[in-house]
Amino acid sequence: MVLSGGPVALAWFGPPGEFPAFAAPFLAASFLVTQGLLIQQHVRGLRISLNLTDIPLAVAVFFLPPFWVIAARLASSVLFYGGRYVRKDIGLLKPLFNIGLTTSGTAVVAVIVHFAGFGSATDPRTWAVIVGAIVLNGFVTTILISLMLLLLSGWASVVRAWLAFYMTLIGPVISACLGLIFLVLLDASGWTAVLIGIVTAATVYLARNYMQLRRQRHVLRELNNFTQLVADSVRSNRLIDAMLGRLREILSAEYATVWVPAGGRYPEIRLTAEVDYIGLTDLDPVPEGLQREVIETNRPMLVGPRSGRLRAELEEAGLRGAILVPLRSGDDVYGCLSVADRIGGELSHFQPVDLQLLETVAAHVSVAVDNTRLIDQLRYDAYHDPLTSLANRRRSLEALQEALAITVPGEVVAVLMFDVDGMHEINDALGHEAGDALLVEFSRRLTEHAPDASFIGRIDSDEFILQTRLPSTEAAVETARSLREGLQGPFKFGRVAVDVSAAIGVVTHPDFATDADELLQRAGTATRQAKNVGDGVQVYHSGLESESLRRIGLAADLRQALDRDELEVHFQPKVHLGSGAPTGAEALARWSHPMYGPVSPEEFISIAGSTGQLGRLTEVVLDESLRRSAEWAREDGPLRMAVNLSPRTLADVGFPERVAELLAEHEVPPGRLTFEITEDDMVADGSRLTPVLDRLHEMGVRLSVDDFGTGYSSLAYLRRLPIQEIKIDLRFIQGMATDADDRAIVKAVLGLARHFEIDVVAEGIEAHQTVEELRAMECETGQGYYFSRPLPPDRFAAWLDAQGGGGASRLRAV
């Protein structure tokens, strides 16, 4: 029906007697040239299209009979769309529809002008007739397109098209007015055609360049938004979901797919975002053979109408075109990012500029995925034992706390602690390799014989725990005995057979403990006693709690020690790795008990926290630290001092005011004081501690994350909390010389810290080789026994004096 509009009008008008030998070919050529010239402008989210073919149409209906107007337009449309059909390798239906659409619209204009009539070129009635005819042409064209949309996409597409109809009429009105201006000029003098041609060419050239500039700015804006989206998605763990949906929109594609083959402990990822589909699917429309080719060759791929074999393979999958680019991590390719089927039908194909855009996007995604995989690796390492791959102590405590949070009537939470027998003797006699092999075998047997739904972890060098639910404590003891029997048996290492056995301590909740720490502590007490019983299994009871008496005594003695100023504060220096100059010190509390001798800081700090003395202990350390900071002032001011804090102290809203008072009392600038909070405490209690942390930050006090890399290693809190420094955990630093994984983690943490503009301190340095490696990684500050152990004030002052000269040669152990 659409295609018949032009021929029917030609037959109705009939050819006039005289052929316009110059005007008809000239206007047909004008139609052909302007057919491909389309100027578009976006206004308030809608697109105004200025089709330049309406300009020669306004001139043609004035100077030519209707028959030759329609014939010229038909000839130009056949040439234009026929050429597209030949060059683009598209179906025949769309070119025929477009030919019919243009000729039918031209026929409408010709009929209106024929019946309405007009006067001279300067007559306003002539202007109204021509403008009205061209606008009506736009109306008729919209109706015909709506019918096509109704057949192909339903009423929803038709409604959207007509909602924007009033904006689509602006283009024909402007074109008709321009055509009338040219008409008046041509009617005045034929030579004005030269001027009109120059002005038209310049206008089109400038408009095209302006449109290209707008497209470039649009692409840059989209890339910037995409980069921010990727960064936000990494922090919210929605990288793939957000990335694929936005990528499909940017490239106007029907599908966007990411495929990452399985590798190591990472499973396969195959997810696709589809147009008009909320969420992601695991259906991949792009042939896997093309994806593997991109990964293996490390080269992007653009599959278009003339891609030969690749196009044929794509068409077998029901697709018209696609772009595929590799996802890289350094020199390695770990996946493929692809988009398929440009929205817009057969005439819409991906171009080389789209390939460049997708490669740029893939680079951003690769960096984000690398960071995500690194963070996942840090999290995994922080929660798993590297030898047995079982959960470590930290994860075991969390799992145990999760189990205690759920109460099941008629069941107890049983914790069985296993202490592998004879580990020291095996290490001494056969070497640590044999000991490691024995631990791996023990973990395998324990996993094999454990009850269903049990949690197993390695919490120390030769200690394992098993947590499960059982009907009673008696059932837990029977389970322990059955497990011990299943675990026993010879284990061969080389030519030597080693007997495998273990002492087992049993404790249950709620019978004997209320929280995870208490369960483990009492399980350890029972395990130590199990070594002295015949069957090697000991259930916890209150008579085993002799250690608690010592703890109670230490709590009372600690209070007296604080009253008598018997606690000491030692100082361990922090050193600039480049110059060897001291940059500050960390203050560490020390207590020598008159009966027990030196008490470990972990023990008396824990006692202080549980007995309400932690605030007083912190104040003692802080006061002494600031006094020594002022006393040991250097050319740039008081010595920088770091003090460890616990979440309990930071939960005190009055703590910042007390800090301010001490800073003023000792005349130490706030920037010279750093508070260190462990990573676990920062992540677990970050939201609760934020008010006090923000107050300290506003005062100018620096905040540092201690033991970084051993906890969640989630970088989200680095952005959320006012942190200026992180301290890489000593286990990673000390393992750098022999473990490539530790070295890679340290390097990655340094890179991420630089990205967040956070200072880094490497703690636990014990060897010159470690110093050199850290220097090469551009780590500025270090701390550890290589430079000095924690020293009492008088010895630390002497150490500072000894650093007065020598530059980098001062890097030595003390």
Side-chain angles (χ1 to χ4, degrees):
M1 181 185 72
V2 175
L3 192 61
S4 63
V8 169
L10 288 173
W12 183 72
F13 283 114
E18 184 178 350
F19 174 70
F22 172 76
F26 177 79
L27 288 172
S30 299
F31 284 136
L32 183 61
V33 171
T34 56
Q35 187 80 35
L37 300 179
L38 184 67
I39 299 176
Q40 295 178 338
Q41 177 66 36
H42 292 266
V43 178
R44 297 181 180 179
L46 296 175
R47 185 174 63 186
I48 300 175
S49 297
L50 188 62
N51 192 337
L52 298 186
T53 56
D54 290 336
I55 296 176
L57 180 60
V59 177
V61 295
F62 183 83
F63 287 108
L64 289 178
F67 178 88
W68 294 117
V69 174
I70 300 171
R73 190 66 189 276
L74 176 61
S76 65
S77 298
V78 170
L79 290 175
F80 181 80
Y81 291 110
R84 278 194 169 187
Y85 171 72
V86 173
R87 295 193 311 272
K88 300 291 186 178
D89 188 25
I90 60 177
L92 186 60
L93 179 61
K94 191 163 188 177
L96 290 177
F97 177 81
N98 288 329
I99 292 171
L101 192 66
T102 55
T103 54
S104 296
T106 304
V108 169
V109 174
V111 169
I112 293 173
V113 171
H114 175 74
F115 283 104
F118 48 75
S120 66
T122 57
D123 186 352
R125 183 175 180 278
T126 301
W127 301 348
V129 170
I130 294 177
V131 171
I134 292 178
V135 170
L136 188 59
N137 172 28
F139 184 78
V140 171
T141 301
T142 302
I143 292 177
L144 295 176
I145 294 176
S146 299
L147 292 175
M148 181 192 68
L149 291 175
L150 179 62
L151 294 175
L152 297 179
S153 305
W155 279 105
S157 299
V158 176
V159 171
R160 285 197 298 269
W162 279 91
L163 287 176
F165 174 68
Y166 74 96
M167 292 295 289
T168 64
L169 293 181
I170 296 178
V173 171
I174 296 174
S175 299
C177 292
L178 289 174
L180 290 173
I181 293 173
F182 294 165
L183 170 61
V184 172
L185 293 174
L186 289 170
D187 185 62
S189 172
W191 288 104
T192 57
V194 177
L195 300 177
I196 291 173
I198 294 174
V199 171
T200 303
T203 302
V204 171
Y205 175 78
L206 293 174
R208 284 295 183 89
N209 280 276
Y210 174 70
M211 291 168 58
Q212 183 177 6
L213 180 61
R214 282 183 57 88
R215 282 196 297 268
Q216 291 173 349
R217 292 182 59 187
H218 175 72
V219 168
L220 290 175
R221 185 168 57 251
E222 291 291 345
L223 280 176
N224 180 64
N225 294 338
F226 185 84
T227 303
Q228 186 60 47
L229 174 69
V230 169
D232 294 340
S233 300
V234 169
R235 292 191 290 271
S236 62
N237 292 322
R238 294 185 63 251
L239 172 62
I240 295 179
D241 191 1
M243 177 265 293
L244 287 181
R246 191 71 186 107
L247 177 61
R248 190 192 57 72
E249 294 174 3
I250 292 175
L251 289 171
S252 299
E254 295 187 13
Y255 307 97
T257 301
V258 62
W259 179 53
V260 180
R265 66 182 181 84
Y266 295 102
E268 180 190 49
I269 299 174
R270 188 186 295 273
L271 294 170
T272 299
E274 298 184 26
V275 65
D276 297 331
Y277 184 87
I278 299 176
L280 302 179
T281 69
D282 56 1
L283 301 176
D284 187 353
V286 180
E288 185 175 317
L290 297 182
Q291 295 172 329
R292 289 194 179 277
E293 184 174 340
V294 168
I295 293 177
E296 291 170 0
T297 61
N298 192 13
R299 294 174 59 186
M301 180 185 298
L302 172 61
V303 184
R306 300 185 180 278
S307 298
R309 174 188 63 84
L310 300 178
R311 175 63 183 269
E313 188 172 347
L314 202 64
E315 287 180 342
E316 289 182 4
L319 301 175
R320 303 187 310 275
I323 311 176
L324 301 89
V325 297
L327 291 173
R328 302 182 179 92
S329 175
D331 294 331
D332 298 327
V333 179
Y334 63 85
C336 176
L337 187 64
S338 60
V339 293
D341 279 6
R342 192 73 176 265
I343 295 175
E346 292 86 351
L347 290 177
S348 298
H349 300 289
F350 295 112
Q351 305 297 327
V353 66
D354 298 317
L355 176 60
Q356 295 174 359
L357 178 59
L358 186 58
E359 286 188 285
T360 304
V361 167
H364 288 293
V365 173
S366 294
V367 172
V369 171
D370 264 1
N371 290 345
T372 303
R373 290 164 73 97
L374 172 61
I375 294 170
D376 287 343
Q377 184 67 48
L378 289 172
R379 289 173 177 164
Y380 184 87
D381 293 342
Y383 282 106
H384 291 82
D385 168 47
L387 178 64
T388 63
S389 296
L390 295 176
N392 61 11
R393 185 181 186 88
R394 179 177 291 102
R395 177 64 190 123
S396 298
L397 277 169
E398 287 188 358
L400 189 52
Q401 196 64 49
E402 292 166 3
L404 298 184
I406 302 174
T407 302
V408 179
E411 290 185 353
V412 298
V413 176
V415 174
L416 282 60
M417 182 176 289
F418 300 79
D419 190 322
V420 182
D421 293 334
M423 281 299 303
H424 294 294
E425 291 79 2
I426 293 172
N427 286 333
D428 292 341
L430 302 177
H432 287 278
E433 185 179 354
D436 290 346
L438 175 60
L439 291 174
V440 172
E441 173 63 16
F442 185 88
S443 68
R444 186 194 65 79
R445 294 185 185 183
L446 180 58
T447 304
E448 180 181 339
H449 290 88
D452 295 337
S454 297
F455 177 90
I456 302 173
R458 182 189 178 198
I459 61 171
D460 206 347
S461 59
D462 56 357
E463 291 183 350
F464 297 76
I465 67 161
L466 182 147
Q467 171 249 309
T468 189
R469 291 185 180 273
L470 294 169
S472 63
T473 301
E474 291 74 17
V477 173
E478 291 302 319
T479 300
R481 289 173 177 158
S482 175
L483 280 172
R484 188 169 189 267
E485 183 177 350
L487 292 170
Q488 288 178 336
F491 163 65
K492 285 190 176 182
F493 184 78
R495 297 183 179 181
V496 179
V498 179
D499 287 331
V500 179
S501 184
I504 306 177
V506 180
V507 64
T508 57
H509 167 84
D511 297 337
F512 299 112
T514 58
D515 59 36
D517 288 323
E518 192 174 37
L519 271 171
L520 283 189
Q521 184 265 323
R522 293 185 171 180
T525 300
T527 304
R528 287 190 292 273
Q529 294 296 323
K531 293 179 177 292
N532 303 318
V533 299
D535 62 358
V537 176
Q538 175 67 59
V539 64
Y540 173 84
H541 57 81
S542 58
L544 302 176
E545 200 58 61
S546 59
E547 287 293 323
S548 64
L549 298 176
R550 179 177 185 269
R551 185 179 178 88
I552 294 173
L554 285 177
D557 295 340
L558 177 61
R559 191 179 304 276
Q560 292 182 3
L562 289 170
D563 292 337
R564 300 170 182 172
D565 293 329
E566 293 177 353
L567 265 70
E568 296 181 352
V569 178
H570 289 195
F571 301 87
Q572 186 173 29
K574 295 180 179 180
V575 175
H576 188 278
L577 298 181
S579 65
T583 61
E586 180 180 1
L588 301 166
R590 295 291 184 264
W591 181 27
S592 181
H593 192 275
M595 179 182 298
Y596 300 119
V599 181
S600 70
E602 291 79 11
E603 185 174 13
F604 70 77
I605 290 175
S606 173
I607 292 173
S610 61
T611 57
Q613 302 180 69
L614 187 59
R616 190 177 175 193
L617 174 61
T618 301
E619 186 172 328
V620 167
V621 175
L622 181 58
D623 182 69
E624 176 67 5
S625 302
L626 294 177
R627 186 172 72 85
R628 296 295 183 179
S629 173
E631 178 183 335
W632 295 328
R634 305 169 74 82
E635 294 179 357
D636 58 346
L639 185 68
R640 295 183 182 274
M641 199 64 65
V643 176
N644 293 286
L645 291 184
S646 75
R648 194 186 300 268
T649 302
L650 288 173
D652 180 8
V653 294
F655 179 68
E657 283 68 30
R658 183 55 183 150
V659 172
E661 293 173 3
L662 290 173
L663 287 169
E665 178 181 343
H666 295 288
E667 299 181 351
V668 175
R672 293 286 166 171
L673 175 62
T674 300
F675 284 133
E676 297 182 1
I677 308 101
T678 64
E679 184 180 22
D680 284 349
D681 295 334
M682 184 71 75
V683 175
D685 299 303
S687 58
R688 183 169 62 92
L689 308 180
T690 297
V692 174
L693 292 175
D694 288 339
R695 179 72 184 94
L696 292 170
H697 178 65
E698 292 169 0
M699 292 167 50
V701 175
R702 289 169 53 83
L703 300 174
S704 174
V705 180
D706 200 6
D707 299 335
F708 184 82
T710 62
Y712 293 80
S713 298
S714 169
L715 300 182
Y717 67 86
L718 295 181
R719 296 289 301 271
R720 187 178 69 250
L721 299 175
I723 296 165
Q724 293 84 39
E725 179 186 281
I726 58 177
K727 296 182 71 175
I728 305 177
D729 186 71
L730 57 87
R731 279 172 284 185
F732 297 129
I733 299 299
Q734 293 173 355
M736 286 175 55
T738 57
D739 192 323
D741 290 340
D742 286 346
R743 189 182 308 110
I745 289 174
V746 172
K747 185 174 181 180
V749 170
L750 285 167
L752 294 174
R754 279 192 290 269
H755 173 76
F756 287 112
E757 298 182 351
I758 295 176
D759 296 333
V760 177
V761 176
E763 60 179 340
I765 299 176
E766 295 184 357
H768 181 72
Q769 180 182 354
T770 305
V771 174
E772 295 299 327
E773 290 185 5
L774 289 170
R775 279 177 177 168
M777 295 179 187
E778 300 181 2
C779 179
E780 293 188 359
T781 308
Q783 176 182 351
Y785 287 176
Y786 178 77
F787 308 109
S788 173
R789 294 175 179 273
L791 302 173
D794 55 341
R795 290 187 60 194
F796 184 83
W799 185 90
L800 278 179
D801 292 338
Q803 309 308 304
S809 64
R810 295 194 300 264
L811 295 179
R812 60 184 184 277
V814 174

